[in-house]
Amino acid sequence: MNAAGAWLVELRRLVLLSVVALGVGGLLGLPWLVLALVLLALLARWLYQLQRLLSWLADTSVEPPEAPAIWGVIYDRLYQLQRAGQERQAQLQSRLDYLQGSLSSMHDGAIMVNGTGAIEWSNTAAERLLGLRYPADRGQALLNLVRLPEFHRYFLAAAFDNPLQVALKGEHVQYLQFAVTAFGGGDRLVFVRDVTKEAKLEQMRRDFVGNVSHELRTPLTVIKGYLETILANAGQLEPRFRRPLEQMQQQAARMETLLKDLLWLSRIESVRTQPRREQVNIGALLEELKDELQTSHPGRQLALQLETADKVAGDYRELHSAVSNLVLNAFKYSQDDTIVTVRWRREGQHLLLSVQDRGMGIDAVHLPRLTERFYRVDDSRSSATGGTGLGLAIVKHVAAAHRAELHIESTLGVGSVFTLVFPG
């Protein structure tokens, strides 16, 4: 019987009992008293069924009691809902067990944290890497157990676009990388992995590049000095030797520039994790850069648009290097009679420094790789302009060290805009 049918049966029974009670009461001369007694008996029956229902709800592991009419329908519906709920719960538990089993088998640490920052679950790798213990640490605040100031700032800032790498000092330095993903209603999944091997390899690469670059400077200086001395007396040379010596001098100068860029890039990478506390006046930096370029590139036009007086927390030399690289690139890849515009402005919560040229532009296929070391859009063009292929790599590393991003927009035949976006 469905709910509507059961309800009609119960209603009919109530009406029928009321009519019979009034009829019998009329014969006895007490119609309302008889009706009241009948309704009271019906109420007692309903109270009895309610008591049975409450008793069953207290222990739903047993079968629901048998009951006639509408009460039987109520028991059946509640039992069906209970079974459906148990099936859904079993499915969810199965999926949760599968997820936790998968995360438990990971070599990387995984921690589930609720909206208040308390630990809900962690795997065995988290115990190995961070000393967490599950389930003993369940409900404890993650930041109280992981005492790393860098991680505290990273977690509270809630800016999880890029992972965080932390060095743990001790007998042997260990490097951990944290990545956080938000899900649900403010819950977070924290992944932590040991990147000590990768960090040491990267440090070895930087040391190798820095050491080799430094060691090459001395012989290169000797070679360049001899070439300059010889070419200073070019009139005494045979004509057939002059051109090769001039080419050697050009390549030596180019190699010297390359070594300077490599050493500067190594220096930026080595101090990347250090905090930048100096307040750099970008407007004054751009004015100084303009004066320098008027001397080194007297035929080029550089326009400044200073729309804000805001400063940036950072390193003056690094920022000067990044902006000068962008401007010099704009000079190299645009006609001498065109203007290069540098604009410093605020947009909402960000500070933007953009360098715009009106040059040949760059095909969109090259944009994702422009900041790679030694990547060249056109080898012949780069050789002609004397570029080392490290300028934009330096810009990218300076931007990362200052929590900024480099955005590149370019249209073939129109020009390019390189923008450094700083947090305001």
Side-chain angles (χ1 to χ4, degrees), residues 110-187:
I111 309 120
M112 291 183 183
V113 182
N114 63 23
T116 63
I119 297 173
E120 290 290 337
W121 177 87
S122 63
N123 64 357
T124 53
E127 178 177 355
R128 173 173 52 84
L129 295 172
L130 298 174
L132 300 180
R133 297 172 301 161
Y134 183 82
D137 290 334
R138 184 174 184 179
Q140 298 292 320
L142 176 64
L143 297 184
N144 290 342
L145 300 177
V146 181
R147 299 182 179 277
L148 298 172
E150 302 96 325
F151 178 71
H152 281 220
R153 291 191 293 269
Y154 178 73
F155 191 82
L156 294 175
F160 305 134
D161 294 336
N162 297 310
L164 170 71
Q165 184 168 302
V166 177
L168 304 182
K169 303 296 177 64
E171 184 178 354
H172 301 287
V173 179
Q174 183 183 22
Y175 294 88
L176 298 181
Q177 185 181 79
F178 292 89
V180 182
T181 301
F183 69 96
D187 297 340

Side-chain angles (χ1 to χ4, degrees), residues 101-358:
S102 301
L103 293 175
S104 295
S105 64
M106 290 177 58
H107 183 70
D108 298 339
I111 309 120
M112 291 183 183
V113 182
N114 63 23
T116 63
I119 297 173
E120 290 290 337
W121 177 87
S122 63
N123 64 357
T124 53
E127 178 177 355
R128 173 173 52 84
L129 295 172
L130 298 174
L132 300 180
R133 297 172 301 161
Y134 183 82
D137 290 334
R138 184 174 184 179
Q140 298 292 320
L142 176 64
L143 297 184
N144 290 342
L145 300 177
V146 181
R147 299 182 179 277
L148 298 172
E150 302 96 325
F151 178 71
H152 281 220
R153 291 191 293 269
Y154 178 73
F155 191 82
L156 294 175
F160 305 134
D161 294 336
N162 297 310
L164 170 71
Q165 184 168 302
V166 177
L168 304 182
K169 303 296 177 64
E171 184 178 354
H172 301 287
V173 179
Q174 183 183 22
Y175 294 88
L176 298 181
Q177 185 181 79
F178 292 89
V180 182
T181 301
F183 69 96
D187 297 340
R188 279 153 288 185
L189 183 60
V190 181
F191 288 102
V192 56
R193 59 185 301 232
D194 188 341
V195 292
T196 303
K197 184 182 294 185
E198 293 87 342
K200 288 183 176 179
L201 287 173
E202 179 64 18
Q203 185 61 47
M204 289 174 59
R205 181 194 64 78
R206 288 199 296 265
D207 292 344
F208 174 78
V209 172
N211 292 334
V212 169
S213 301
H214 184 75
E215 292 299 324
L216 286 176
R217 291 184 68 181
T218 299
L220 184 61
T221 301
V222 174
I223 294 171
K224 186 180 177 185
Y226 276 120
L227 287 172
E228 289 176 351
T229 302
I230 294 171
L231 288 172
N233 301 289
Q236 301 177 15
L237 295 173
E238 294 185 28
R240 62 192 180 97
F241 293 135
R242 187 177 305 165
R243 179 59 180 166
L245 288 171
E246 289 175 348
Q247 289 180 338
M248 290 169 64
Q249 186 184 40
Q250 290 174 358
Q251 294 303 318
R254 185 181 177 193
M255 187 176 293
E256 185 179 44
T257 302
L258 176 61
L259 291 179
K260 288 180 180 178
D261 284 350
L262 282 172
L263 288 171
W264 181 239
L265 190 56
S266 296
R267 187 260 181 192
I268 294 172
E269 289 178 334
S270 65
V271 299
R272 179 173 172 178
T273 57
Q274 297 180 7
R276 267 62 176 175
R277 296 187 176 90
E278 178 187 357
Q279 292 296 315
V280 179
N281 187 330
I282 299 297
L285 183 151
L286 294 177
E287 294 285 0
E288 179 183 341
L289 179 61
K290 183 177 181 180
D291 292 339
E292 294 173 0
L293 294 175
Q294 284 178 344
T295 302
S296 60
H297 296 75
R300 296 308 306 259
Q301 301 180 63
L302 180 64
L304 301 182
Q305 296 180 3
L306 306 178
E307 302 173 14
T308 179
D310 288 305
K311 299 180 180 180
V312 170
D315 184 283
Y316 184 91
R317 289 180 59 201
E318 292 181 8
L319 291 171
H320 184 282
S321 171
V323 180
S324 63
N325 269 298
L326 292 177
V327 174
L328 289 175
N329 274 351
F331 281 173
K332 289 176 184 177
Y333 301 120
S334 61
Q335 297 296 324
D336 291 344
D337 57 351
T338 60
I339 299 176
V340 172
T341 303
V342 180
R343 187 181 177 195
W344 175 238
R345 67 190 187 278
R346 170 178 287 278
E347 285 189 4
Q349 299 298 316
H350 297 93
L351 295 168
L352 280 66
L353 193 156
S354 58
V355 178
Q356 180 179 11
D357 66 58
R358 296 164 180 80

Side-chain angles (χ1 to χ4, degrees), residues 61-116:
S61 60
V62 299
E63 293 288 328
E66 296 291 337
I70 193 170
W71 287 101
V73 174
I74 291 175
Y75 283 123
D76 289 342
R77 286 297 178 87
L78 288 175
Y79 186 63
Q80 291 172 5
L81 290 174
Q82 179 201 19
R83 293 292 300 274
Q86 289 174 345
E87 291 177 0
R88 284 196 297 269
Q89 184 177 1
Q91 291 176 353
L92 290 174
Q93 187 63 44
S94 175
R95 293 175 182 176
L96 181 60
D97 292 341
Y98 177 78
L99 175 61
Q100 291 183 346
S102 301
L103 293 175
S104 295
S105 64
M106 290 177 58
H107 183 70
D108 298 339
I111 309 120
M112 291 183 183
V113 182
N114 63 23
T116 63

Side-chain angles (χ1 to χ4, degrees), residues 372-384:
E372 294 180 10
R373 302 182 189 202
F374 306 111
Y375 181 78
R376 300 178 185 277
V377 175
D378 186 335
D379 285 340
S380 61
R381 188 177 71 184
S382 298
S383 299

